[in-house]
């Protein structure tokens, strides 16, 4: 079964840090582009970051540049999102998603077309 499982969310004060993990089973992440998305109540889902193992590139939403870092441990079939200097506006459910690397980042052809999603992990940043 193809599956993504996120972990690492929680409650943190503004200025704090969290590291999210996204572990794949049933397929190998090093053939995929992996995106971290977030969705806050009443807001649209947005892609926060993407790591494409096909060309070793990463990209970030402007609002998280310099604060969030995405990395991969292919031996563990896991990608991470290190989130520093968290702000209340970062509060959301965070989900990872994957598409074959040849197609680029998961959001490239529209979020509804993303084929593999995790179940999400909640991040809450208090002020």
């Amino acid at each position: 079964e193809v599956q993504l499982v996120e972990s690492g969310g929680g409650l943190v004060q503004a200025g704090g840090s969290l590291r999210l993990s996204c572990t794949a089973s049933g397929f190998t992440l090093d053939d995929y582009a992996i995106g971290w998305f977030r969705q806050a109540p009443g807001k649209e889902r947005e892609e926060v970051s993407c790591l494409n193992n096909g060309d070793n590139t990463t990209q970030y939403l402007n609002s998280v540049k310099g604060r969030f870092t995405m990395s991969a441990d292919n031996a563990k079939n896991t990608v991470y999102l290190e989130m520093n200097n968290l702000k209340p506006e970062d509060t959301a459910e965070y989900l990872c998603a994957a598409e074959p690397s040849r197609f680029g980042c998961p959001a490239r052809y529209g979020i509804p077309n993303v084929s593999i999603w995790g179940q999400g992990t909640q991040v809450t940043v208090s002020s």
Side-chain angles (χ1 to χ4, degrees):
E1 180 184 4
V2 171
Q3 194 173 14
L4 291 170
V5 177
E6 302 95 334
S7 62
L11 173 64
V12 64
Q13 288 188 331
S17 299
L18 284 172
R19 188 178 78 157
L20 305 183
S21 299
C22 171
T23 300
S25 58
F27 67 107
T28 303
L29 281 179
D30 57 7
D31 295 327
Y32 281 74
I34 304 95
W36 279 102
F37 293 76
R38 67 185 180 189
Q39 187 164 19
K43 295 188 177 181
E44 293 187 353
R45 188 170 294 184
E46 61 181 356
E47 187 173 66
V48 173
S49 65
C50 171
L51 184 155
N52 191 334
N53 278 315
D55 58 12
N56 293 316
T57 58
T58 55
Q59 59 188 52
Y60 299 93
L61 190 67
N62 282 340
S63 62
V64 307
K65 283 181 180 177
R67 301 189 297 122
F68 290 12
T69 302
M70 196 169 171
S71 62
D73 184 339
N74 289 336
K76 295 183 178 180
N77 217 23
T78 298
V79 296
Y80 304 97
L81 184 67
E82 183 77 32
M83 305 186 296
N84 297 314
N85 191 22
L86 282 160
K87 303 177 181 182
E89 53 263 41
D90 295 318
T91 294
E93 182 181 44
Y94 283 71
L95 309 95
C96 61
E99 287 288 350
S101 60
R102 66 185 182 276
F103 297 136
C105 289
R108 182 176 181 183
Y109 297 106
I111 289 175
N113 296 317
V114 175
S115 57
I116 306 172
W117 286 100
Q119 84 290 348
T121 185
Q122 179 66 35
V123 171
T124 303
V125 184
S126 63
S127 57

